[in-house]
Amino acid sequence: MATASTPNSSGQPASDSRLKTYRIQRGHPLPLGTTVNRQGVNFAIFSKPATSCTLVLYQPGTERILTEIPLDPHVNRIGQVWHIFVEGLDVGAHYAFRFDMQPDPEPQMNRFDPTRSLLDPYARVISNGAAWGTYKAGTHPRRHCVVIENHFEWGEDQQLNIPLVDSIIYETHVRSFTRHSSFGVANPGTFAGLIQKIPYLKQLGVTAVELLPVNEFEEADTNRVNPLTGEPLVNLWGYQPTAFFAPNTAYSSNIADGEQVREFKRLVKSMHQAGIEVILDMVFNHTAENDETGPTWSFRGIDNATYYILDPVTGQYLNYSGCGNTVNCNNPVVHDFIVDCLRYWVTEMHVDGFRFDLASILGRGQDGRVLKNPPLLEHLAYDPVLANIKLIAEAWDAAGLYQVGTLPSWGRWAEWNGIFRDDVRKFVKGDAGMTSALATRLLGSPDLYETSAREPYHSINFVTCHDGFTLNDLVSYNEKHNLSNGDNNQDGNNANLSWNCGAEGPTSDPAVNELRARQRKNFVAILLFAHGVPMLLSGDELGRTQQGNNNAYCQDNDVSWLNWDMAKTNADLVRFFQLMIAFRKRRPMLRRNTFALDGETGFHVTWHGAKRMSADWGPESRSVAMQWTQLYKDGTREDLHFIAHAHWEDQEFELPDIGERKWFRLVDTALPSSADIADEGQEFPLQSQESYPVKARSVAIFVAK
């Protein structure tokens, strides 16, 4: 056992009598991170090439160093893991590490700086957190890690394990969801604020919230300003991670050390009590350390060549993420780090699933090449702790790799179905030749998922998400309007497959506004009728606009915030969402867990057109009509009839013959509220069972009784 003195920041022994002397022991190499017991704290951290490692302890809430403890490479290292036990240290301690390598034969690969304090990759809390917007670009103080304990009164709480096939996902952002002044209650923009909106989510009917990144990220990563207003721009969305285990302090209503963990746990527990799952957006493809010119927070200064994919000659960061660097996900050490992180969020935070940003990068090898059987993706598919957890991939990256339908899945991975988004957008705006594509998407995209031994629920269907136009803007703008992002309108996707219905942006033309309202409902009806798992973008049900901005990642203002007054002004749209969600939840036929048809399952599809039994798949067709029939073992049957008519002229559609039963109208998006959709059991009787007049650019749904 040795003793650590308490030097001040100059490295000399401190004379302050309040500082204590710590007794140190060799410690243990596993688990990585910090482990607290009655006697003190064990620290363990990996670095393959480092020849020296120093543990630095700080006075909480300050930059003042309490002590620096050099680790002996012969005593405090096993293999490539540095470890030490500090007796007498307790929960609440602030710490960081310093690393060096002497000599360094590959300085182009390594980025050691023995003067720089580095965050522990396994840190559960990061210190010096502050309310959102406190620090501007370049002014953030050096942050430290905090030793915490994981005690929380979970009671009987556990993952809900709602079958993916029954899920309705609501993608939202913790801050934007409750930051607007119309929120009207305490703690806007925080986990606590989101808790206050759970009754709304339950009333809407969604089964899961998918939260944009909630771990620590660097929001002040740019000094750019909005050229239209002079307002400083920030990284609002959170896709610049700095610490993967630690909840974002700025999302906590109480920024004291450890409170962000407890508040996030209260959020999860409260969601579960309402029957709503929590899915986290995880960004393992890159970090906020960016390229060679970026800051050093952690990984780069600990073991650059392990954590990142580098050019083996120059040491340049290979940039498959579009964000300056690419995490070396299939390096065994990084692979284990990611698995450990996900297990932590599941076991300690009780989350129900993960969505993986640019997940195709998780399938690249250590040289950047695409792997046929990526070890990380396979491990996550079979990991016993994650066995019931939802795994959702954004199956592409920024280097042109697009794997929707082909991402190695082992029958386990679901995917954001970008092809569903594109095909539905093309059809609804009236593109020719899209009827066959729409029919395929409505059946769960068997062309993509049946061929890879998956089922319809592996397709996460969406029309809008955080990245791109909102639903309102999708029918209001032909072009992106991103000047406020400070990049001369060069950022954001140019191919939006949108249509403004005759006027660019807001208009007083009643005909244009009526058509836009109809088009919004068309998208919702198609999305919630289709096989697969629907994902809704937060605020679309309110008619939220981003003023034509299709890349609002930096807009921490009314562009991104949900205006809750719109729940009243657009109550008809909210109602349409609610009733379509309720309809989907009470109709098992819409939530099929297999592609099998007919005799195997009792499910049958009949295709029609304007004439019954006469589908039109021609290149100029803009209409799809289909009858779904489910035969049950007790001899009963259920029938639904669906018509999507994207042509600009009205059309009379013959209805299928269902014998003595009759068709009742559930949905007609061309009708005003409240005739556009019926409450359960209140479906509208038809004047004729022979045919139904379908208005231009509308969707109609019928149920048999």
Side-chain angles (χ1 to χ4, degrees), residues 160-169 207-208 210 277 279 352-354 387-393 411-416 454-461 530-535 584 590-593:
L160 297 181
N161 293 327
I162 295 172
L164 185 56
V165 70
D166 294 329
S167 297
I168 299 169
I169 300 172
T207 68
E210 182 175 302
E277 295 186 319
I279 299 171
D352 303 272
F354 303 99
N388 296 322
I389 296 301
K390 293 171 175 63
L391 301 177
I392 301 171
R412 178 80 166 83
W413 283 86
E415 298 173 0
W416 270 25
R454 285 181 281 182
E455 301 297 349
Y457 54 79
H458 288 111
S459 174
I460 306 299
N461 299 333
H531 291 160
V533 177
M535 185 185 78
R584 180 181 182 85
L590 304 182
R591 309 189 312 279
R592 301 187 68 245
N593 61 7

Side-chain angles (χ1 to χ4, degrees), residues 212-229:
L212 270 65
V214 301
N215 56 290
E216 288 283 5
F217 60 85
E218 178 53 26
E219 75 259 21
D221 68 342
T222 177
N223 57 7
R224 290 185 296 111
V225 299
N226 182 335
L228 306 180
T229 65

Side-chain angles (χ1 to χ4, degrees), residues 9 72 100 102 128 202 222 297 414 540 567 580 597 603 623:
S9 59
D72 186 329
D100 196 11
Q102 295 297 333
N128 292 338
K202 187 172 184 178
T222 177
W297 296 98
D540 275 354
M580 275 303 304
L597 298 175
F603 180 75
S623 301

Side-chain angles (χ1 to χ4, degrees), residues 24 179 247 547 568 669:
I24 60 175
R179 180 60 185 84
Q547 302 166 25
K568 297 179 180 178
T669 61

Side-chain angles (χ1 to χ4, degrees), residues 199-276:
Y200 168 82
L201 295 170
K202 187 172 184 178
Q203 184 179 24
L204 186 62
V206 298
T207 68
V209 291
E210 182 175 302
L211 302 178
L212 270 65
V214 301
N215 56 290
E216 288 283 5
F217 60 85
E218 178 53 26
E219 75 259 21
D221 68 342
T222 177
N223 57 7
R224 290 185 296 111
V225 299
N226 182 335
L228 306 180
T229 65
E231 174 191 22
L233 298 174
V234 297
N235 192 303
L236 173 67
W237 286 351
Y239 291 93
Q240 284 287 59
T242 55
F244 290 90
F245 285 75
N248 190 357
T249 303
Y251 285 172
S252 178
S253 62
N254 184 339
I255 62 174
D257 292 343
E259 289 301 318
Q260 59 274 78
V261 176
R262 283 182 279 274
E263 189 164 308
F264 180 81
K265 289 179 177 180
R266 286 195 292 272
L267 169 63
V268 174
K269 184 176 180 180
S270 299
M271 285 285 186
H272 287 173
Q273 289 171 341
I276 299 173

